[in-house]
Amino acid sequence: LSFYTSLTHQTQPEHPKILMELQGAAKMTWQNYQEKGLPERKNYTLPCLISECSFPRINSSAILAYFQEIQRVTVNNHTIQEIIQQLKKLMPQGAPRLNVTVPEDHFEQKCFTSAILQQFSNCMDRIHNAKCSTVAKRNVQ
Amino acid sequence: EVLSEPVPLTPESLKVSINSPRQRLNLQWSVHNFLNHPEQQMIFQIEISRINTSNIIWVGNYSAIVKWNQVLHWSWESELPLECATHFVRIRSMMDDSTFPKPKSWSKWTSWEEVDVHDTLGHDTLFVFPKDKLVEEGANVTFCYVFKSNENNVSCHLEGEQVHGEQLTSNVSAFKLNNVPFIRRTGTNIYCKVNGGEPAAGIVLYVSKILEEPKDFSCETRDLKTLNCTWDSGDDTGLQIQSSQSYTLFESFSQKKKVCKHKNWCTWQVTQDSQGMYNFTLMAENYLRKRSVTLVFQLTHQVHPMRPHYFSVENINSTNATVTWKVHPIGNNSTFLCQVELHHEGQVIQQKNVSIKVHGECLLSEMEPDTHYFARVRCAYGSHFWKWSEWIGQKFTTLEAAP
Amino acid sequence: LAALPHKPENISCVFYYKKNLTCTWNPEKEAHDTWYTVNRTNCYGGEHELCRIENRASCSFFYPNVTYPDNCSIEVEAENADGKVKSDRTQWNLDNIVKIEPPEIYYVKPVLGVKRMVQIMWRRPQLAPRSTGLNYTLRFMTVNSAKWLEVNFRKGVYEEQTYNLTELQAFTEYVLTLRCVAEESIFWSDWSEEKMGTTEEEAPLG
């Protein structure tokens, strides 16, 4: 799981496990949320990683802010609540809280939520399948 | 005394305001220069046109008794969202009082009052209306797009499938959806986009299941202290923007009311001073509709006794045994009709009815020695049968016969 | 004479992955009405959660308030009309107490040309920690036997979920069942549904 450890730049042994749980929850949340008739939106983006490939670190505090706002406009979604719980575990102490505003318009809210959930799921898949290092796979077996 | 032809009184100070979510035009006006009558029966004729004054889409009359200098109010619901087109309203009046001879004549029309929201739309270029409308399944809904450019290459999609509408003006098209179905609690997705252009604009149409009348509404008591009412609530009509339907019990004799916490059952405390007869109305309610059912009953006719207890099989010998049990007393001095069954190899071989107060006893005889049996008992309220209690029973084996 | 409740002891917790964390304690029953408050603190984020129950020595914290991985501290307070008593604080690493669902056997079938062997394929329990290898116990016996035989093995997260059971009798029908446990946990899953499979026929010797 050393690759995952580098991802979180943390020494906590549990972080790689958290990331794998996050990947599962992200995929399930995105699959459960998909609705027909929502156009793709390019104007809503999620700052998922702090720096790409060389030493990618998951931007947990930013992602957490997005998901806490999404939770506010979704009704009792358990997997979103799990993602929030897992992100809190990755949060560095005293991390600044990002300000995120969800569109007021219901249709835009859906487009926003759909875009963010899809990007987060893709981001976690990219991390999981990262070509940067196959160490993760060997260690996990 | 019949008066001469009345002077037609043109309505004045006509003002029209918009209630956009409800797609309603609210009118208010007044009528001056009254003859010396404190109040007058009048008819007002209202014309509504859309897009331009010559395109009249609605005409209707409104009768009212008008007091001196009174401000009158009236409203009209549009099937088309009011943001989709400019509307114009005018009104005229006629005396409708028997003291004046026919034929009567209309006053002059007021001038057209224009109602236009386009300038309040904001700086985007493409809009879709109505926003977040809530309707019941099966309703007909009209939506439109407003595109601040005269090119006409906008396409609209309902749940991802393209739909076609009617062009109202160069930059507005309307789409009629008939008999809209419930799709999901988070609403139906509708969006329009400029082909090859910027992000789409869209709306969520919230289609709610139709609130059903509660079925199988029934109340019973197990102890004459608490009434347990149950019903089949049918579909849940809750949506992301509308909580599920609520249920309220109202008892007309006592005029008491209780909001129920659960969607298909509710308890009601029987008070000492309460009457024997009950007339319950169960009211189901959501944002769009109310449904109710009533139930009238005598409390003692709805007694469903609790399962008897302390059941035991005693004095077992090779052919006989005695079963004893107790019932939970209900009220004071109540009697119970109890039914005792003896089973052998899954078959009921004996059945006896016993009337008791609290303690029950029944002799089972003519059984086979050294044989396995099963005995059970249930009870019903003696003064009026409503339901049997649940069974309570026990296996036993008769003794071997003496040689 | 005040009769305080007994001090809650022998606290035991089981974590049903993505369902709930259920803790039980002794005594199971008290003479008088007793209210229990179980205080759970997450290792991460230090979040608290209380679970209250009356006259029962068991309480559950539900998903998604409890998520894997975590290291929770549990303290049980018993209260009756005469006063309160607190248990010792106990620590629970979810890795060690996670109980997962049984695996689902897809098939049990011989491999063409390989005698006295069947291959078992199963589906890894969906509700199991994604980063944990699983230890398995495979139980098998011939259909007319009454004595189970067992074999144990481990499967990593990405390993194929198959196992070749060898040294069997030729052309014989076997019944098999499988259970698993997260590699650091003490709680095995229940046994899977039983599946049948028959080994290949074998030409008579000589």
Side-chain angles (χ1 to χ4, degrees), chain C residues 15 31 33 37 47 55 71 102 111 120-121 164 172 177 179 196 198:
Chain C
F15 173 55
D33 278 347
T37 301
E47 291 194 355
N55 294 331
N71 202 328
V111 173
I120 302 100
M121 172 177 253
N164 292 339
T172 304
T177 179
R179 70 173 184 176
M196 319 285 273
T198 306

Side-chain angles (χ1 to χ4, degrees), chain B residues 26 80 160 178 209 260 288 299 323 329 350 364 379 382 385 392-393:
Chain B
N26 297 321
L80 180 71
N178 295 318
K209 294 240 181 200
C260 301
L288 292 166
L299 180 63
V323 291
Q350 283 184 34
L364 301 173
C379 298
F385 180 87
I392 186 169

Side-chain angles (χ1 to χ4, degrees), chain A residues 1 4 12 14-15 17-18 20-21 23-25 78-79 81-82 85-86 88-89 128 137 140-141, chain C residues 17-18 42 44 47 63-65 67-70 93 95 128-131 154 156-159 184:
Chain A
L1 297 179
Y4 278 110
Q12 288 274 14
E14 301 291 53
H15 278 200
K17 294 180 183 174
I18 295 168
M20 286 188 78
E21 294 298 314
Q23 190 226 353
H78 277 183
T79 47
Q81 290 169 41
E82 173 178 1
Q85 290 273 357
Q86 300 290 15
K88 283 181 178 174
K89 296 177 186 177
H128 189 71
K137 294 244 173 67
V140 168
Q141 282 153 3
Chain C
Y17 180 74
K18 294 225 178 193
N42 282 1
Y44 285 101
E47 291 194 355
Y63 172 83
N65 295 343
T67 55
Y68 171 88
D70 215 327
N93 185 326
D95 267 310
R130 297 170 57 86
S131 52
R154 177 186 180 281
V157 178
Y158 297 105
E159 275 189 270
E184 295 172 49

Side-chain angles (χ1 to χ4, degrees), chain C residues 1-191:
Chain C
L1 187 65
L4 284 174
H6 293 87
K7 177 181 177 182
E9 289 174 326
N10 300 331
I11 295 173
S12 170
C13 296
V14 181
F15 173 55
Y16 298 93
Y17 180 74
K18 294 225 178 193
K19 288 182 180 165
N20 63 67
L21 170 67
T22 297
C23 296
T24 56
W25 56 87
N26 292 125
E28 283 190 24
K29 210 73 183 95
E30 284 273 8
H32 306 290
D33 278 347
T34 306
W35 295 269
Y36 294 99
T37 301
V38 185
N39 186 340
R40 174 179 67 86
T41 309
N42 282 1
C43 166
Y44 285 101
E47 291 194 355
H48 282 274
E49 187 178 10
L50 297 179
C51 179
R52 288 196 174 81
I53 196 97
E54 187 182 346
N55 294 331
R56 260 186 72 213
S58 167
C59 224
S60 296
F61 300 91
F62 291 92
Y63 172 83
N65 295 343
V66 182
T67 55
Y68 171 88
D70 215 327
N71 202 328
C72 304
S73 84
I74 293 287
E75 189 179 61
V76 183
E77 179 185 80
E79 180 181 5
N80 66 13
D82 298 317
K84 297 179 183 177
V85 175
K86 263 192 184 168
S87 75
D88 300 332
R89 181 176 287 266
T90 54
Q91 210 62 34
W92 302 89
N93 185 326
L94 300 188
D95 267 310
N96 306 135
I97 56 168
V98 61
K99 180 180 171 84
I100 55 184
E101 291 179 324
E104 179 195 348
I105 299 179
Y106 281 151
Y107 62 69
V108 177
K109 59 181 181 182
V111 173
L112 204 59
V114 181
K115 305 305 180 194
R116 298 170 179 268
M117 183 189 94
V118 286
Q119 182 180 67
I120 302 100
M121 172 177 253
W122 67 91
R123 183 174 71 158
R124 183 184 200 269
Q126 284 208 296
L127 291 185
R130 297 170 57 86
S131 52
T132 310
L134 302 182
N135 293 324
Y136 287 86
T137 301
L138 174 62
R139 226 181 214 182
F140 60 96
M141 66 178 172
T142 60
V143 287
N144 40 37
S145 161
K147 185 172 185 301
W148 288 106
L149 302 172
E150 287 187 359
V151 60
N152 295 297
F153 53 89
R154 177 186 180 281
K155 286 289 179 179
V157 178
Y158 297 105
E159 275 189 270
E160 201 187 21
Q161 307 292 294
T162 62
Y163 184 79
N164 292 339
L165 185 59
T166 56
E167 296 172 19
L168 302 176
Q169 299 165 37
F171 197 48
T172 304
E173 187 176 27
Y174 283 84
V175 57
L176 299 92
T177 179
L178 194 58
R179 70 173 184 176
C180 55
V181 62
E183 51 195 350
E184 295 172 49
S185 176
I186 57 175
F187 295 117
W188 282 85
S189 74
D190 298 334
W191 289 98

